Amino acid sequence: MPVIVLEASDLTSPLSLVRMWALLSGCLTFSLVASLVPSELTSDTHQYSFRILCMFTWCLFFILTLLIHVVNIIQFHSLVPISWKNLTVTVAALATLMTFSATVTFPWAVMCHEGAWPRPIAASLASCLTFLAYATEAYLICNQTQDQKGYMASVPGLLKVLQLWGGCEMIVLVVEQVRGALVKVGLAAVGWQLWVSGAWYALCLLMSLGTVMVVLGDCAGRCPLPFDRLLAGFSLTGVLLYVVATILCFTRVLELRKRDQDLTDRKTGPTLVVMEAVMTSITLLAYTVDLAFSIKLLRDRSHA
């Protein structure tokens, strides 16, 4: 199939301009963060892990956006063995959520708060611009005509992106809590609730990732089981597992209060547990709404 080069007018389309905006602000963000010296970073023990997470987020989506932008310019996407319509909106929506997390996490847990340092402040502003760029890109894609957007641009598709984002954040928070407990006390300090929650998060993350990969690969028709019933089963499993995980999270929060833990430290265990409880509740809501959509779809098809 011949490769068709875009016209100059296509390079100035709103979607192309927004992607260039995301590339420029993303490159500026991780360049500024990479140049920070130790005096511009907080001395908290969690800053190293969160800094890696933020850098990984900015660099990953910079690379993905650059590839999408280049492939779109040379019209090479017709030769790529994936659903291009679903890929672009998936990357844009997931980048919106992940860069939002990085925009909040970096000034909270990475940059030093003792004094006004220009480079960390500039990096925070650049990260905020990156988030706005990806949010604008996702908005533009979701508002395209029906034949230009795929399943992932629909409400159920966006809910699966939200589930994927929630699973990633959960794994990071659990790993950081385990690492903090091992450093301070030892393996005995890691409660069974944390291990159970981590296992549920990992299982749900794998289910969400598998669903997204099947949609991106246009493999739903080759699935040995009816794909709509499989999605409903995954959603129901996610709801049940996240209900258990949410109960365990709030149980750990209550246990911390009973032990009169010091809740004034923003970056240690208690705050991470509260963050996990909030993120678990958000992800549970996403699975619940997704389950409702799946049940409605099955009901409509049974009456058709």
Side-chain angles (χ1 to χ4, degrees), residues 21-48:
W21 171 18
L23 289 172
L24 291 175
S25 57
C27 181
L28 177 62
T29 302
F30 65 72
S31 298
L32 286 170
V33 175
S35 65
L36 297 180
V37 296
S39 60
E40 296 173 313
L41 302 173
T42 182
S43 59
D44 186 78
T45 56
H46 296 296
Q47 72 89 3
Y48 184 73

Side-chain angles (χ1 to χ4, degrees), residues 8 30 73 130 202 236 284:
F30 65 72
I73 287 176
T130 307
L236 178 60
L284 173 60

Side-chain angles (χ1 to χ4, degrees), residues 33-68:
V33 175
S35 65
L36 297 180
V37 296
S39 60
E40 296 173 313
L41 302 173
T42 182
S43 59
D44 186 78
T45 56
H46 296 296
Q47 72 89 3
Y48 184 73
S49 300
F50 286 127
R51 185 185 182 189
I52 292 177
L53 174 64
C54 292
M55 286 291 289
F56 174 78
T57 297
W58 294 319
C59 294
L60 172 65
F61 289 105
F62 173 82
I63 294 173
L64 291 177
T65 304
L66 179 61
L67 291 175
I68 289 175

Side-chain angles (χ1 to χ4, degrees), residues 95-256:
T96 300
L97 296 171
M98 293 295 290
T99 53
F100 172 75
S101 299
T103 301
V104 174
T105 301
F106 177 77
W108 168 72
V110 179
M111 65 179 287
C112 181
H113 302 126
E114 299 176 358
W117 300 93
R119 281 187 296 185
I121 294 176
S124 299
L125 294 176
S127 180
C128 184
L129 291 175
T130 307
F131 158 69
L132 292 176
Y134 283 119
T136 305
E137 181 186 357
Y139 174 80
L140 291 175
I141 296 176
C142 290
N143 281 274
Q144 290 177 332
T145 58
Q146 194 64 37
D147 60 333
Q148 290 180 307
K149 60 183 181 181
Y151 169 80
M152 296 302 295
S154 64
V155 175
L158 294 175
L159 286 172
K160 289 174 177 55
V161 176
L162 182 59
Q163 296 164 12
L164 187 60
W165 168 70
C168 294
E169 297 296 323
M170 293 297 99
I171 295 298
V172 172
L173 290 173
V174 169
V175 168
E176 190 58 30
Q177 290 179 70
V178 172
R179 190 190 69 85
L182 292 177
V183 170
K184 292 181 180 179
V185 183
L187 188 61
V190 183
W192 64 269
Q193 299 100 324
L194 191 58
W195 292 116
V196 172
S197 298
W200 291 169
Y201 299 147
L203 180 59
C204 292
L205 178 61
L206 290 176
M207 289 191 300
S208 298
L209 183 60
T211 301
V212 172
M213 295 303 294
V214 168
V215 173
L216 293 182
D218 274 337
C219 300
R222 287 172 280 180
C223 185
L225 299 175
F227 192 61
D228 52 353
R229 295 181 181 272
L230 189 63
L231 292 181
F234 281 171
S235 298
L236 178 60
T237 303
V239 169
L240 296 177
L241 294 182
Y242 265 94
V243 165
V244 176
T246 303
I247 294 174
L248 292 178
C249 279
F250 282 99
T251 301
R252 286 160 51 210
V253 171
L254 294 176
E255 287 179 354
L256 289 174

Side-chain angles (χ1 to χ4, degrees), residues 1-4 74-80:
M1 184 176 295
V3 175
I4 303 173
I74 63 176
Q75 289 288 300
F76 200 70
H77 52 77
S78 58
L79 302 180
V80 179

Side-chain angles (χ1 to χ4, degrees), residues 259-270:
R259 295 173 188 170
D260 293 326
Q261 293 280 346
D262 182 15
L263 299 178
T264 60
D265 189 347
R266 300 179 299 144
K267 307 180 184 71
T268 52

